[in-house]
PDB file of all heavy atoms in Angstrom:
ATOM      1  N   VAL A 476      -7.438 -50.310 -49.455  1.00 87.00           N
ATOM      2  CA  VAL A 476      -8.768 -50.278 -48.860  1.00 87.00           C
ATOM      3  C   VAL A 476      -8.959 -48.890 -48.266  1.00 87.00           C
ATOM      4  O   VAL A 476      -8.158 -48.448 -47.446  1.00 87.00           O
ATOM      5  CB  VAL A 476      -8.950 -51.343 -47.759  1.00 87.00           C
ATOM      6  CG1 VAL A 476     -10.315 -51.235 -47.121  1.00 87.00           C
ATOM      7  CG2 VAL A 476      -8.728 -52.742 -48.322  1.00 87.00           C
ATOM      8  N   LEU A 477      -9.985 -48.198 -48.730  1.00 91.00           N
ATOM      9  CA  LEU A 477     -10.295 -46.859 -48.239  1.00 91.00           C
ATOM     10  C   LEU A 477     -11.634 -46.859 -47.522  1.00 91.00           C
ATOM     11  O   LEU A 477     -12.567 -47.534 -47.954  1.00 91.00           O
ATOM     12  CB  LEU A 477     -10.372 -45.866 -49.408  1.00 91.00           C
ATOM     13  CG  LEU A 477      -9.127 -45.715 -50.270  1.00 91.00           C
ATOM     14  CD1 LEU A 477      -9.439 -44.829 -51.471  1.00 91.00           C
ATOM     15  CD2 LEU A 477      -7.992 -45.144 -49.462  1.00 91.00           C
ATOM     16  N   ILE A 478     -11.743 -46.108 -46.442  1.00 92.00           N
ATOM     17  CA  ILE A 478     -13.032 -45.869 -45.800  1.00 92.00           C
ATOM     18  C   ILE A 478     -13.662 -44.689 -46.530  1.00 92.00           C
ATOM     19  O   ILE A 478     -13.107 -43.602 -46.566  1.00 92.00           O
ATOM     20  CB  ILE A 478     -12.863 -45.554 -44.302  1.00 92.00           C
ATOM     21  CG1 ILE A 478     -12.221 -46.744 -43.591  1.00 92.00           C
ATOM     22  CG2 ILE A 478     -14.211 -45.206 -43.685  1.00 92.00           C
ATOM     23  CD1 ILE A 478     -11.843 -46.461 -42.159  1.00 92.00           C
ATOM     24  N   THR A 479     -14.819 -44.932 -47.164  1.00 95.00           N
ATOM     25  CA  THR A 479     -15.452 -43.880 -47.952  1.00 95.00           C
ATOM     26  C   THR A 479     -16.643 -43.248 -47.253  1.00 95.00           C
ATOM     27  O   THR A 479     -17.108 -42.190 -47.668  1.00 95.00           O
ATOM     28  CB  THR A 479     -15.901 -44.410 -49.327  1.00 95.00           C
ATOM     29  OG1 THR A 479     -16.823 -45.480 -49.138  1.00 95.00           O
ATOM     30  CG2 THR A 479     -14.702 -44.889 -50.134  1.00 95.00           C
ATOM     31  N   SER A 480     -17.130 -43.890 -46.176  1.00 94.00           N
ATOM     32  CA  SER A 480     -18.275 -43.332 -45.463  1.00 94.00           C
ATOM     33  C   SER A 480     -18.357 -43.941 -44.067  1.00 94.00           C
ATOM     34  O   SER A 480     -18.113 -45.132 -43.896  1.00 94.00           O
ATOM     35  CB  SER A 480     -19.572 -43.635 -46.228  1.00 94.00           C
ATOM     36  OG  SER A 480     -20.691 -43.222 -45.499  1.00 94.00           O
ATOM     37  N   LEU A 481     -18.665 -43.105 -43.102  1.00 93.00           N
ATOM     38  CA  LEU A 481     -18.903 -43.553 -41.727  1.00 93.00           C
ATOM     39  C   LEU A 481     -20.282 -43.080 -41.295  1.00 93.00           C
ATOM     40  O   LEU A 481     -20.605 -41.898 -41.416  1.00 93.00           O
ATOM     41  CB  LEU A 481     -17.871 -42.965 -40.767  1.00 93.00           C
ATOM     42  CG  LEU A 481     -16.468 -43.522 -40.824  1.00 93.00           C
ATOM     43  CD1 LEU A 481     -15.552 -42.702 -39.917  1.00 93.00           C
ATOM     44  CD2 LEU A 481     -16.432 -44.965 -40.406  1.00 93.00           C
ATOM     45  N   LYS A 482     -21.087 -44.002 -40.810  1.00 91.00           N
ATOM     46  CA  LYS A 482     -22.402 -43.675 -40.252  1.00 91.00           C
ATOM     47  C   LYS A 482     -22.495 -44.331 -38.891  1.00 91.00           C
ATOM     48  O   LYS A 482     -21.637 -45.114 -38.507  1.00 91.00           O
ATOM     49  CB  LYS A 482     -23.512 -44.179 -41.170  1.00 91.00           C
ATOM     50  CG  LYS A 482     -23.503 -43.539 -42.547  1.00 91.00           C
ATOM     51  CD  LYS A 482     -24.623 -44.079 -43.396  1.00 91.00           C
ATOM     52  CE  LYS A 482     -24.549 -43.493 -44.799  1.00 91.00           C
ATOM     53  NZ  LYS A 482     -25.577 -44.054 -45.674  1.00 91.00           N
ATOM     54  N   GLU A 483     -23.554 -44.041 -38.179  1.00 86.00           N
ATOM     55  CA  GLU A 483     -23.716 -44.587 -36.834  1.00 86.00           C
ATOM     56  C   GLU A 483     -23.628 -46.110 -36.819  1.00 86.00           C
ATOM     57  O   GLU A 483     -23.016 -46.692 -35.927  1.00 86.00           O
ATOM     58  CB  GLU A 483     -25.064 -44.145 -36.255  1.00 86.00           C
ATOM     59  CG  GLU A 483     -25.290 -44.612 -34.839  1.00 86.00           C
ATOM     60  CD  GLU A 483     -26.590 -44.108 -34.280  1.00 86.00           C
ATOM     61  OE1 GLU A 483     -27.017 -42.998 -34.632  1.00 86.00           O
ATOM     62  OE2 GLU A 483     -27.184 -44.846 -33.477  1.00 86.00           O
ATOM     63  N   ASP A 484     -24.211 -46.763 -37.795  1.00 82.00           N
ATOM     64  CA  ASP A 484     -24.246 -48.225 -37.809  1.00 82.00           C
ATOM     65  C   ASP A 484     -23.649 -48.830 -39.081  1.00 82.00           C
ATOM     66  O   ASP A 484     -23.924 -49.967 -39.422  1.00 82.00           O
ATOM     67  CB  ASP A 484     -25.680 -48.712 -37.637  1.00 82.00           C
ATOM     68  CG  ASP A 484     -26.597 -48.208 -38.749  1.00 82.00           C
ATOM     69  OD1 ASP A 484     -26.171 -47.333 -39.515  1.00 82.00           O
ATOM     70  OD2 ASP A 484     -27.730 -48.696 -38.841  1.00 82.00           O
ATOM     71  N   CYS A 485     -22.805 -48.055 -39.784  1.00 83.00           N
ATOM     72  CA  CYS A 485     -22.309 -48.537 -41.070  1.00 83.00           C
ATOM     73  C   CYS A 485     -20.962 -47.900 -41.410  1.00 83.00           C
ATOM     74  O   CYS A 485     -20.757 -46.715 -41.211  1.00 83.00           O
ATOM     75  CB  CYS A 485     -23.338 -48.197 -42.156  1.00 83.00           C
ATOM     76  SG  CYS A 485     -22.861 -48.657 -43.810  1.00 83.00           S
ATOM     77  N   VAL A 486     -20.064 -48.718 -41.931  1.00 85.00           N
ATOM     78  CA  VAL A 486     -18.801 -48.244 -42.486  1.00 85.00           C
ATOM     79  C   VAL A 486     -18.759 -48.729 -43.935  1.00 85.00           C
ATOM     80  O   VAL A 486     -18.962 -49.905 -44.211  1.00 85.00           O
ATOM     81  CB  VAL A 486     -17.586 -48.811 -41.724  1.00 85.00           C
ATOM     82  CG1 VAL A 486     -16.280 -48.394 -42.374  1.00 85.00           C
ATOM     83  CG2 VAL A 486     -17.625 -48.397 -40.270  1.00 85.00           C
ATOM     84  N   THR A 487     -18.520 -47.817 -44.871  1.00 89.00           N
ATOM     85  CA  THR A 487     -18.428 -48.183 -46.286  1.00 89.00           C
ATOM     86  C   THR A 487     -16.966 -48.180 -46.694  1.00 89.00           C
ATOM     87  O   THR A 487     -16.255 -47.209 -46.458  1.00 89.00           O
ATOM     88  CB  THR A 487     -19.222 -47.192 -47.156  1.00 89.00           C
ATOM     89  OG1 THR A 487     -20.574 -47.157 -46.713  1.00 89.00           O
ATOM     90  CG2 THR A 487     -19.187 -47.606 -48.612  1.00 89.00           C
ATOM     91  N   LEU A 488     -16.533 -49.300 -47.284  1.00 86.00           N
ATOM     92  CA  LEU A 488     -15.147 -49.449 -47.714  1.00 86.00           C
ATOM     93  C   LEU A 488     -15.080 -49.522 -49.231  1.00 86.00           C
ATOM     94  O   LEU A 488     -15.982 -50.050 -49.879  1.00 86.00           O
ATOM     95  CB  LEU A 488     -14.553 -50.738 -47.137  1.00 86.00           C
ATOM     96  CG  LEU A 488     -14.589 -50.897 -45.626  1.00 86.00           C
ATOM     97  CD1 LEU A 488     -14.072 -52.276 -45.247  1.00 86.00           C
ATOM     98  CD2 LEU A 488     -13.801 -49.809 -44.939  1.00 86.00           C
ATOM     99  N   GLU A 489     -13.984 -49.033 -49.790  1.00 90.00           N
ATOM    100  CA  GLU A 489     -13.701 -49.180 -51.214  1.00 90.00           C
ATOM    101  C   GLU A 489     -12.423 -49.994 -51.337  1.00 90.00           C
ATOM    102  O   GLU A 489     -11.385 -49.615 -50.798  1.00 90.00           O
ATOM    103  CB  GLU A 489     -13.519 -47.815 -51.864  1.00 90.00           C
ATOM    104  CG  GLU A 489     -13.208 -47.873 -53.337  1.00 90.00           C
ATOM    105  CD  GLU A 489     -13.061 -46.493 -53.935  1.00 90.00           C
ATOM    106  OE1 GLU A 489     -14.002 -45.691 -53.809  1.00 90.00           O
ATOM    107  OE2 GLU A 489     -11.985 -46.228 -54.511  1.00 90.00           O
ATOM    108  N   VAL A 490     -12.510 -51.130 -52.005  1.00 86.00           N
ATOM    109  CA  VAL A 490     -11.377 -52.034 -52.154  1.00 86.00           C
ATOM    110  C   VAL A 490     -10.859 -51.945 -53.576  1.00 86.00           C
ATOM    111  O   VAL A 490     -11.620 -52.082 -54.532  1.00 86.00           O
ATOM    112  CB  VAL A 490     -11.790 -53.490 -51.831  1.00 86.00           C
ATOM    113  CG1 VAL A 490     -10.608 -54.430 -52.008  1.00 86.00           C
ATOM    114  CG2 VAL A 490     -12.369 -53.589 -50.421  1.00 86.00           C
ATOM    115  N   SER A 491      -9.560 -51.696 -53.727  1.00 86.00           N
ATOM    116  CA  SER A 491      -8.918 -51.646 -55.040  1.00 86.00           C
ATOM    117  C   SER A 491      -7.807 -52.677 -55.073  1.00 86.00           C
ATOM    118  O   SER A 491      -7.070 -52.838 -54.101  1.00 86.00           O
ATOM    119  CB  SER A 491      -8.306 -50.265 -55.286  1.00 86.00           C
ATOM    120  OG  SER A 491      -9.277 -49.256 -55.203  1.00 86.00           O
ATOM    121  N   LEU A 492      -7.685 -53.380 -56.197  1.00 80.00           N
ATOM    122  CA  LEU A 492      -6.610 -54.344 -56.345  1.00 80.00           C
ATOM    123  C   LEU A 492      -6.303 -54.553 -57.806  1.00 80.00           C
ATOM    124  O   LEU A 492      -7.079 -54.184 -58.689  1.00 80.00           O
ATOM    125  CB  LEU A 492      -6.948 -55.672 -55.667  1.00 80.00           C
ATOM    126  CG  LEU A 492      -8.266 -56.311 -56.095  1.00 80.00           C
ATOM    127  CD1 LEU A 492      -8.014 -57.500 -56.960  1.00 80.00           C
ATOM    128  CD2 LEU A 492      -9.043 -56.670 -54.852  1.00 80.00           C
ATOM    129  N   TRP A 493      -5.165 -55.150 -58.068  1.00 79.00           N
ATOM    130  CA  TRP A 493      -4.695 -55.397 -59.425  1.00 79.00           C
ATOM    131  C   TRP A 493      -5.076 -56.814 -59.825  1.00 79.00           C
ATOM    132  O   TRP A 493      -4.885 -57.756 -59.066  1.00 79.00           O
ATOM    133  CB  TRP A 493      -3.183 -55.241 -59.470  1.00 79.00           C
ATOM    134  CG  TRP A 493      -2.627 -55.407 -60.840  1.00 79.00           C
ATOM    135  CD1 TRP A 493      -2.098 -56.543 -61.370  1.00 79.00           C
ATOM    136  CD2 TRP A 493      -2.546 -54.401 -61.844  1.00 79.00           C
ATOM    137  NE1 TRP A 493      -1.686 -56.308 -62.653  1.00 79.00           N
ATOM    138  CE2 TRP A 493      -1.959 -54.987 -62.976  1.00 79.00           C
ATOM    139  CE3 TRP A 493      -2.911 -53.066 -61.899  1.00 79.00           C
ATOM    140  CZ2 TRP A 493      -1.722 -54.294 -64.138  1.00 79.00           C
ATOM    141  CZ3 TRP A 493      -2.677 -52.372 -63.064  1.00 79.00           C
ATOM    142  CH2 TRP A 493      -2.091 -52.981 -64.160  1.00 79.00           C
ATOM    143  N   ILE A 494      -5.624 -56.978 -61.038  1.00 77.00           N
ATOM    144  CA  ILE A 494      -6.000 -58.295 -61.552  1.00 77.00           C
ATOM    145  C   ILE A 494      -5.150 -58.571 -62.788  1.00 77.00           C
ATOM    146  O   ILE A 494      -5.211 -57.836 -63.770  1.00 77.00           O
ATOM    147  CB  ILE A 494      -7.497 -58.340 -61.907  1.00 77.00           C
ATOM    148  CG1 ILE A 494      -8.335 -58.057 -60.662  1.00 77.00           C
ATOM    149  CG2 ILE A 494      -7.857 -59.686 -62.520  1.00 77.00           C
ATOM    150  CD1 ILE A 494      -9.794 -57.838 -60.946  1.00 77.00           C
ATOM    151  N   ASN A 495      -4.370 -59.642 -62.735  1.00 77.00           N
ATOM    152  CA  ASN A 495      -3.507 -59.994 -63.856  1.00 77.00           C
ATOM    153  C   ASN A 495      -4.193 -60.883 -64.887  1.00 77.00           C
ATOM    154  O   ASN A 495      -3.777 -60.916 -66.028  1.00 77.00           O
ATOM    155  CB  ASN A 495      -2.257 -60.726 -63.358  1.00 77.00           C
ATOM    156  CG  ASN A 495      -1.284 -59.792 -62.693  1.00 77.00           C
ATOM    157  OD1 ASN A 495      -1.163 -58.640 -63.072  1.00 77.00           O
ATOM    158  ND2 ASN A 495      -0.600 -60.286 -61.684  1.00 77.00           N
ATOM    159  N   ASP A 496      -5.197 -61.639 -64.495  1.00 74.00           N
ATOM    160  CA  ASP A 496      -5.734 -62.680 -65.347  1.00 74.00           C
ATOM    161  C   ASP A 496      -7.260 -62.677 -65.312  1.00 74.00           C
ATOM    162  O   ASP A 496      -7.864 -62.934 -64.282  1.00 74.00           O
ATOM    163  CB  ASP A 496      -5.196 -64.026 -64.864  1.00 74.00           C
ATOM    164  CG  ASP A 496      -5.585 -65.173 -65.746  1.00 74.00           C
ATOM    165  OD1 ASP A 496      -6.150 -64.935 -66.833  1.00 74.00           O
ATOM    166  OD2 ASP A 496      -5.320 -66.312 -65.363  1.00 74.00           O
ATOM    167  N   LEU A 497      -7.877 -62.385 -66.447  1.00 76.00           N
ATOM    168  CA  LEU A 497      -9.340 -62.404 -66.538  1.00 76.00           C
ATOM    169  C   LEU A 497      -9.823 -63.496 -67.491  1.00 76.00           C
ATOM    170  O   LEU A 497     -10.866 -63.366 -68.114  1.00 76.00           O
ATOM    171  CB  LEU A 497      -9.866 -61.043 -67.013  1.00 76.00           C
ATOM    172  CG  LEU A 497      -9.913 -59.945 -65.976  1.00 76.00           C
ATOM    173  CD1 LEU A 497     -10.361 -58.626 -66.605  1.00 76.00           C
ATOM    174  CD2 LEU A 497     -10.831 -60.309 -64.836  1.00 76.00           C
ATOM    175  N   ASP A 498      -9.077 -64.587 -67.591  1.00 81.00           N
ATOM    176  CA  ASP A 498      -9.432 -65.656 -68.524  1.00 81.00           C
ATOM    177  C   ASP A 498     -10.810 -66.253 -68.255  1.00 81.00           C
ATOM    178  O   ASP A 498     -11.512 -66.644 -69.172  1.00 81.00           O
ATOM    179  CB  ASP A 498      -8.389 -66.772 -68.509  1.00 81.00           C
ATOM    180  CG  ASP A 498      -7.098 -66.355 -69.185  1.00 81.00           C
ATOM    181  OD1 ASP A 498      -7.130 -65.397 -69.988  1.00 81.00           O
ATOM    182  OD2 ASP A 498      -6.060 -66.977 -68.922  1.00 81.00           O
ATOM    183  N   ARG A 499     -11.210 -66.346 -66.989  1.00 77.00           N
ATOM    184  CA  ARG A 499     -12.521 -66.925 -66.647  1.00 77.00           C
ATOM    185  C   ARG A 499     -13.640 -65.905 -66.779  1.00 77.00           C
ATOM    186  O   ARG A 499     -14.792 -66.213 -66.562  1.00 77.00           O
ATOM    187  CB  ARG A 499     -12.511 -67.465 -65.210  1.00 77.00           C
ATOM    188  CG  ARG A 499     -11.595 -68.637 -65.024  1.00 77.00           C
ATOM    189  CD  ARG A 499     -11.672 -69.198 -63.636  1.00 77.00           C
ATOM    190  NE  ARG A 499     -11.339 -68.178 -62.646  1.00 77.00           N
ATOM    191  CZ  ARG A 499     -11.918 -68.067 -61.459  1.00 77.00           C
ATOM    192  NH1 ARG A 499     -12.854 -68.885 -61.092  1.00 77.00           N
ATOM    193  NH2 ARG A 499     -11.542 -67.120 -60.631  1.00 77.00           N
ATOM    194  N   GLY A 500     -13.315 -64.687 -67.094  1.00 82.00           N
ATOM    195  CA  GLY A 500     -14.316 -63.640 -67.183  1.00 82.00           C
ATOM    196  C   GLY A 500     -14.354 -62.831 -65.902  1.00 82.00           C
ATOM    197  O   GLY A 500     -13.811 -63.216 -64.868  1.00 82.00           O
ATOM    198  N   ARG A 501     -15.016 -61.723 -65.974  1.00 83.00           N
ATOM    199  CA  ARG A 501     -15.036 -60.774 -64.868  1.00 83.00           C
ATOM    200  C   ARG A 501     -15.999 -61.174 -63.742  1.00 83.00           C
ATOM    201  O   ARG A 501     -15.665 -61.064 -62.563  1.00 83.00           O
ATOM    202  CB  ARG A 501     -15.427 -59.418 -65.437  1.00 83.00           C
ATOM    203  CG  ARG A 501     -15.221 -58.298 -64.516  1.00 83.00           C
ATOM    204  CD  ARG A 501     -15.452 -57.002 -65.223  1.00 83.00           C
ATOM    205  NE  ARG A 501     -15.452 -55.965 -64.219  1.00 83.00           N
ATOM    206  CZ  ARG A 501     -15.784 -54.740 -64.420  1.00 83.00           C
ATOM    207  NH1 ARG A 501     -16.153 -54.367 -65.612  1.00 83.00           N
ATOM    208  NH2 ARG A 501     -15.745 -53.859 -63.467  1.00 83.00           N
ATOM    209  N   LYS A 502     -17.191 -61.641 -64.083  1.00 87.00           N
ATOM    210  CA  LYS A 502     -18.196 -61.953 -63.057  1.00 87.00           C
ATOM    211  C   LYS A 502     -17.770 -63.049 -62.089  1.00 87.00           C
ATOM    212  O   LYS A 502     -17.928 -62.892 -60.881  1.00 87.00           O
ATOM    213  CB  LYS A 502     -19.532 -62.282 -63.712  1.00 87.00           C
ATOM    214  CG  LYS A 502     -20.213 -61.062 -64.272  1.00 87.00           C
ATOM    215  CD  LYS A 502     -21.580 -61.403 -64.828  1.00 87.00           C
ATOM    216  CE  LYS A 502     -22.219 -60.157 -65.403  1.00 87.00           C
ATOM    217  NZ  LYS A 502     -23.563 -60.438 -65.901  1.00 87.00           N
ATOM    218  N   PRO A 503     -17.222 -64.180 -62.567  1.00 87.00           N
ATOM    219  CA  PRO A 503     -16.780 -65.198 -61.598  1.00 87.00           C
ATOM    220  C   PRO A 503     -15.692 -64.674 -60.662  1.00 87.00           C
ATOM    221  O   PRO A 503     -15.678 -64.996 -59.475  1.00 87.00           O
ATOM    222  CB  PRO A 503     -16.252 -66.334 -62.477  1.00 87.00           C
ATOM    223  CG  PRO A 503     -16.912 -66.146 -63.792  1.00 87.00           C
ATOM    224  CD  PRO A 503     -17.093 -64.661 -63.943  1.00 87.00           C
ATOM    225  N   LEU A 504     -14.790 -63.859 -61.189  1.00 84.00           N
ATOM    226  CA  LEU A 504     -13.715 -63.313 -60.362  1.00 84.00           C
ATOM    227  C   LEU A 504     -14.268 -62.369 -59.299  1.00 84.00           C
ATOM    228  O   LEU A 504     -13.898 -62.447 -58.126  1.00 84.00           O
ATOM    229  CB  LEU A 504     -12.686 -62.592 -61.220  1.00 84.00           C
ATOM    230  CG  LEU A 504     -11.535 -61.952 -60.462  1.00 84.00           C
ATOM    231  CD1 LEU A 504     -10.754 -63.002 -59.693  1.00 84.00           C
ATOM    232  CD2 LEU A 504     -10.635 -61.203 -61.394  1.00 84.00           C
ATOM    233  N   ILE A 505     -15.173 -61.475 -59.695  1.00 85.00           N
ATOM    234  CA  ILE A 505     -15.780 -60.545 -58.738  1.00 85.00           C
ATOM    235  C   ILE A 505     -16.540 -61.311 -57.669  1.00 85.00           C
ATOM    236  O   ILE A 505     -16.436 -61.010 -56.475  1.00 85.00           O
ATOM    237  CB  ILE A 505     -16.680 -59.534 -59.468  1.00 85.00           C
ATOM    238  CG1 ILE A 505     -15.814 -58.584 -60.299  1.00 85.00           C
ATOM    239  CG2 ILE A 505     -17.536 -58.747 -58.476  1.00 85.00           C
ATOM    240  CD1 ILE A 505     -16.599 -57.684 -61.226  1.00 85.00           C
ATOM    241  N   SER A 506     -17.287 -62.342 -58.073  1.00 91.00           N
ATOM    242  CA  SER A 506     -18.019 -63.156 -57.106  1.00 91.00           C
ATOM    243  C   SER A 506     -17.072 -63.817 -56.108  1.00 91.00           C
ATOM    244  O   SER A 506     -17.314 -63.805 -54.897  1.00 91.00           O
ATOM    245  CB  SER A 506     -18.834 -64.218 -57.847  1.00 91.00           C
ATOM    246  OG  SER A 506     -19.489 -65.061 -56.936  1.00 91.00           O
ATOM    247  N   GLU A 507     -15.981 -64.377 -56.608  1.00 88.00           N
ATOM    248  CA  GLU A 507     -15.002 -65.026 -55.742  1.00 88.00           C
ATOM    249  C   GLU A 507     -14.363 -64.025 -54.773  1.00 88.00           C
ATOM    250  O   GLU A 507     -14.180 -64.316 -53.586  1.00 88.00           O
ATOM    251  CB  GLU A 507     -13.936 -65.679 -56.620  1.00 88.00           C
ATOM    252  CG  GLU A 507     -12.954 -66.524 -55.879  1.00 88.00           C
ATOM    253  CD  GLU A 507     -11.972 -67.199 -56.825  1.00 88.00           C
ATOM    254  OE1 GLU A 507     -12.400 -67.671 -57.897  1.00 88.00           O
ATOM    255  OE2 GLU A 507     -10.779 -67.237 -56.487  1.00 88.00           O
TER     256      GLU A 507
END
């Protein structure tokens, strides 16, 4: 997890992770 931006009322994070199984497709996994 990286902080990519700091503003007065906002912090933007970038989350990276490894996915081993995309059998259900990408959209349901991203939503979950």
Side-chain angles (χ1 to χ4, degrees):
V476 177
L477 301 173
I478 298 172
T479 59
S480 174
L481 287 173
K482 298 180 183 177
E483 183 177 327
D484 60 349
C485 178
V486 176
T487 303
L488 303 175
E489 179 179 304
V490 179
S491 302
L492 54 107
W493 183 264
I494 300 170
N495 286 327
D496 185 8
L497 282 176
D498 287 339
R499 294 184 302 144
R501 192 172 171 189
K502 287 184 181 182
L504 179 60
I505 291 171
S506 177
E507 187 177 319

